[in-house]
Every structure is written in structure tokens, then in C-alpha cells.
């Protein structure tokens, strides 16, 4: 329970605390499948936030596989394994299969609903993702992550008011969660309200995401000096945010640099690349053959 509490706070420091508590739970009961499943999720997100997936993600895989082996009927175990397969290994069909299995085992399970919503939006199935995202929120209305993910989906769909409301709800629930201001910033920029975008960016609790948000917000304000400085700061402290650097260059209309960083992101297995099909910030790149080549390299499954 202590591990779950810290995990739900959704930031790097608390993910690490959560792992410590899961470690102790597993020491007390080596067959505790739920502790393995949640520790797997924590390792997945630690790798993503630090850019150290090569060390964290194998731990996530081992934990998820252990959870399924110990408790093959546990929805959270299949959800964790599906998330590892999809998010870290880019084995999309296998990931979806595991998440669907999790939902079969427990249709109202909050973890299964939330992670499935996060997956299907990346495949361009926006209507289905929104429906699934709303179901995830309903299954755990006091959790910030499903709200934040619903905001992401609504942003991709261009539903700005609803995206903003969901994002603000997520930030209210967990003010210190990483990237809890991202969608408010992007919505404000889309609305042409660059001052609100800057204020929201300054409130971002995660340093890395704050650098990204400041870079796009300052550019939207027309302050080229501040925008250049923020982008330079983002690049100088790049910790797994190669994709975000590419986003900034795309927003700035610097196409060559955007593709250069998208290739870096692909080479580094940056999870941001999962948004390639649906990301509005890359709209200026979509008519370029290099964009289609990158999508082909990602090898997303065909969607019906």
C-alpha cells in the first residue's frame, strides 16, 4: 500500500520510493504478484523519465513476467506485461494482446483500462481511445494518471476545452506529478494565449518537461531570445527527451533540425516516438517523405 501510494504521485522521486516499498513487500512475500506488477510499472516509468531505459526496462520486463508466472489470472500482471511489451519493447501486437487479456480478466480494473487507453491512442484509434480513456477515469476517479492521459487523447483530437479541464483535474489530484502542466501549456498555445502557456510552463514540477514547455511557450510569445535559450537548455540537459527537442524544432518550423532529432529519438528508442501517428506538433512535417519513412520504421500494426 505504501508503494502504491508513492507510485500514484507520478514523479521520479516518488517512483523510486515506491520501488523501495515494493522491494520490501516482495522480501516479505516472494510470491506477491501485485507487488511485482506495480514495481514493473514503476521501473518502466523511471526508465522513461531518466532516459536510462537500458538499465530500468529489463527490470520492468523481469518483474512483469514474474507477476504473470506467479498469478496468471491477475489482471494487473497482464497489464504490466502488456505495457512493457508495447511501451518499452515496441512489440505492439503482443502488448495489445496482454492488455486485452487483462481487461477480459477484470473489465473494471483501473490499471488495465488506463494502460489500454494509453496504447490505442498511439495507433491512431482516437475515438476508441477517448472512450477507453473515459472508462479509465470512471474506474478510478481519484487517480491523476488516467485524467492526464485523457487530456492527452483529447488534445490529439483537438478538443481543447475538454483537454484543458482533464489536465487541470489531473494537476489538482497530483500537483507534483511529472508533465502535469504539459497539456495546459499546449492547449493555451493552440488558443493563442501565450501568457497563460508561459505561466503554466513555469508551474511544471518536472525539470525536464519544464524546459520543453518553456521552449514552446516562449516561442509562442514571440520572444526569440528566451525561446532560443530555453531550447538550448533543453538540449544541454537532454535526458530521454530527444523527441521533445524534435517537437520544439517542428513548432519553430525548422524542419531539418526536427528530422535530425526525430532520427536521434528513434535511434535511442525514445518512447515519444510512439506518438508519431497522432502528434499535432508534428503537423508541419507530415508532407515530407522522411516522416512517412519514420512511421514505416516504427512498424505500427495495421489498424482497422
Amino acid at each position: 500500500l505504501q508503494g502504491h501510494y508513492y507510485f500514484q504521485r507520478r514523479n521520479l522521486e516518488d517512483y523510486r520510493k515506491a520501488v523501495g516499498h515494493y522491494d520490501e513487500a516482495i522480501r516479505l512475500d516472494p510470491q506477491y504478484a501485485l507487488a511485482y506488477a506495480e514495481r514493473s510499472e514503476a521501473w518502466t516509468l523511471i526508465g522513461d523519465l531518466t532516459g536510462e531505459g537500458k538499465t530500468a526496462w529489463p527490470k520492468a520486463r523481469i518483474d512483469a513476467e514474474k507477476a504473470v508466472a506467479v498469478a496468471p489470472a491477475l489482471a494487473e500482471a497482464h497489464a504490466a506485461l502488456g505495457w512493457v511489451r508495447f511501451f518499452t519493447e515496441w512489440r505492439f501486437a503482443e502488448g495489445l494482446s496482454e492488455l486485452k487479456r487483462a481487461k477480459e480478466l477484470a473489465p473494471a480494473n483501473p490499471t488495465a483500462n488506463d494502460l489500454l487507453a494509453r496504447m490505442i491512442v498511439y495507433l491512431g484509434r482516437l475515438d476508441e481511445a477517448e472512450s477507453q480513456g473515459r472508462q479509465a477515469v470512471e474506474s478510478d476517479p481519484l487517480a491523476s494518471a488516467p485524467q492526464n492521459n485523457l487530456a492527452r487523447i483529447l488534445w490529439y483530437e483537438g478538443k481543447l476545452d475538454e483537454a484543458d479541464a482533464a489536465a487541470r483535474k489531473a494537476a489538482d489530484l497530483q500537483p507534483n506529478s511529472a508533465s502535469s502542466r504539459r497539456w495546459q501549456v499546449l492547449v493555451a498555445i493552440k488558443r493563442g494565449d501565450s501568457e497563460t502557456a508561459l505561466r503554466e510552463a513555469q508551474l511544471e514540477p518536472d525539470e525536464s518537461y519544464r524546459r520543453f514547455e518553456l521552449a514552446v511557450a516562449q516561442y509562442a510569445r514571440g520572444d526569440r531570445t528566451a525561446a532560443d535559450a530555453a531550447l538550448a537548455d533543453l538540449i544541454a540537459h537532454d535526458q530521454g527527451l530527444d523527441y521533445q527537442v524534435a517537437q520544439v524544432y517542428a513548432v519553430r518550423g525548422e524542419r531539418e533540425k526536427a528530422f535530425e532529432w526525430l532520427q536521434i529519438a528513434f535511434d535511442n528508442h525514445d518512447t515519444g516516438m510512439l506518438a508519431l501517428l497522432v502528434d499535432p506538433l508534428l503537423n508541419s512535417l507530415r508532407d515530407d517523405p522522411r516522416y512517412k519513412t519514420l512511421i514505416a520504421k516504427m512498424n505500427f500494426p495495421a489498424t482497422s
Side-chain angles (χ1 to χ4, degrees), residues 26 30-44 56-86 88-89 91 94-95 98-99:
I26 289 165
Q31 300 300 304
Y32 192 5
L34 184 59
Y36 285 109
E38 291 202 6
R39 191 171 69 178
S40 170
E41 281 189 73
W43 279 123
T44 297
W57 290 342
K59 297 176 183 178
R61 176 182 53 76
I62 291 167
D63 275 348
E65 290 175 348
K66 175 71 172 179
V68 171
V70 170
L74 182 69
E76 287 91 345
H78 289 278
L81 183 56
W83 188 232
V84 166
R85 295 283 189 256
F86 191 103
T88 73
E89 298 178 350
R91 293 160 64 177
E94 293 176 52
E98 289 291 341
L99 256 295

Side-chain angles (χ1 to χ4, degrees), residues 69-139:
V70 170
L74 182 69
E76 287 91 345
H78 289 278
L81 183 56
W83 188 232
V84 166
R85 295 283 189 256
F86 191 103
F87 190 69
T88 73
E89 298 178 350
W90 296 0
R91 293 160 64 177
F92 303 120
E94 293 176 52
L96 282 172
S97 177
E98 289 291 341
L99 256 295
K100 288 175 180 175
R101 177 64 180 144
K103 273 214 67 165
E104 288 170 3
L105 289 165
N109 182 268
T111 302
N113 279 288
D114 179 37
L115 293 180
L116 185 58
R118 290 197 229 179
M119 284 188 200
I120 57 182
V121 72
Y122 288 137
L123 303 180
R125 292 149 55 177
L126 296 178
D127 290 346
E128 184 185 350
E130 181 184 338
S131 175
Q132 183 62 49
R134 292 188 184 282
Q135 190 174 344
V137 167
E138 289 168 9
S139 65

Side-chain angles (χ1 to χ4, degrees), residues 159-200:
K159 298 180 178 180
L160 300 184
D161 291 348
E162 293 175 85
D164 194 50
R168 291 181 185 282
K169 178 69 172 177
D172 286 345
L173 288 167
Q174 292 291 355
N176 294 319
S177 63
S179 105
S180 61
R181 300 289 169 169
R182 177 167 32 162
W183 311 114
Q184 297 93 308
V185 171
L186 296 179
V187 166
I189 290 172
K190 189 72 172 178
R191 286 171 169 167
D193 186 356
S194 57
E195 294 304 321
T196 294
L198 180 61
R199 284 198 303 273
E200 292 289 347

Side-chain angles (χ1 to χ4, degrees), residues 5-304:
Y5 167 78
Y6 285 110
F7 178 70
Q8 292 293 351
R9 288 168 65 86
R10 298 283 165 170
N11 63 71
L12 183 59
E13 180 182 355
D14 286 316
Y15 287 143
R16 295 193 191 281
K17 289 180 183 176
V19 165
H21 289 295
Y22 295 137
D23 289 347
E24 178 64 7
I26 289 165
R27 187 189 69 79
L28 293 167
D29 180 1
Q31 300 300 304
Y32 192 5
L34 184 59
Y36 285 109
E38 291 202 6
R39 191 171 69 178
S40 170
E41 281 189 73
W43 279 123
T44 297
L45 294 164
I46 287 169
D48 190 46
L49 282 174
T50 61
E52 297 172 3
K54 288 181 180 178
T55 55
W57 290 342
K59 297 176 183 178
R61 176 182 53 76
I62 291 167
D63 275 348
E65 290 175 348
K66 175 71 172 179
V68 171
V70 170
L74 182 69
E76 287 91 345
H78 289 278
L81 183 56
W83 188 232
V84 166
R85 295 283 189 256
F86 191 103
F87 190 69
T88 73
E89 298 178 350
W90 296 0
R91 293 160 64 177
F92 303 120
E94 293 176 52
L96 282 172
S97 177
E98 289 291 341
L99 256 295
K100 288 175 180 175
R101 177 64 180 144
K103 273 214 67 165
E104 288 170 3
L105 289 165
N109 182 268
T111 302
N113 279 288
D114 179 37
L115 293 180
L116 185 58
R118 290 197 229 179
M119 284 188 200
I120 57 182
V121 72
Y122 288 137
L123 303 180
R125 292 149 55 177
L126 296 178
D127 290 346
E128 184 185 350
E130 181 184 338
S131 175
Q132 183 62 49
R134 292 188 184 282
Q135 190 174 344
V137 167
E138 289 168 9
S139 65
D140 193 356
L142 297 182
S144 68
Q147 290 281 0
N148 190 265
N149 186 54
L150 180 59
R152 175 203 313 271
I153 294 166
L154 293 164
W155 155 251
Y156 289 154
E157 291 182 296
K159 298 180 178 180
L160 300 184
D161 291 348
E162 293 175 85
D164 194 50
R168 291 181 185 282
K169 178 69 172 177
D172 286 345
L173 288 167
Q174 292 291 355
N176 294 319
S177 63
S179 105
S180 61
R181 300 289 169 169
R182 177 167 32 162
W183 311 114
Q184 297 93 308
V185 171
L186 296 179
V187 166
I189 290 172
K190 189 72 172 178
R191 286 171 169 167
D193 186 356
S194 57
E195 294 304 321
T196 294
L198 180 61
R199 284 198 303 273
E200 292 289 347
Q202 290 166 338
L203 292 170
E204 169 60 53
D206 182 83
E207 286 186 8
S208 296
Y209 277 105
R210 190 186 317 134
R211 294 184 184 103
F212 161 69
E213 291 161 22
L214 287 171
V216 289
Q218 293 288 18
Y219 184 80
R221 290 180 72 238
D223 188 339
R224 189 59 183 256
T225 301
D228 289 350
L231 176 55
D233 192 34
L234 174 62
I235 292 170
H237 296 89
D238 178 25
Q239 290 180 307
L241 292 184
D242 304 329
Y243 181 81
Q244 278 70 30
V245 176
Q247 285 180 306
V248 176
Y249 277 121
V251 168
R252 290 163 61 108
E254 298 181 40
R255 183 176 288 213
E256 296 304 314
K257 281 287 189 181
F259 278 110
E260 177 186 327
W261 278 92
L262 283 175
Q263 186 60 53
I264 292 170
F266 178 82
D267 292 342
N268 288 339
H269 206 81
D270 187 323
T271 58
M273 291 295 290
L274 295 171
L276 206 58
L277 288 173
V278 290
D279 187 354
L281 296 186
L282 302 186
N283 283 347
S284 65
L285 309 179
R286 294 186 191 279
D287 62 350
D288 193 298
R290 289 172 291 182
Y291 180 79
K292 297 177 179 63
T293 298
L294 281 169
I295 287 178
K297 284 182 179 179
M298 288 297 297
N299 200 27
F300 291 114
T303 57
S304 55

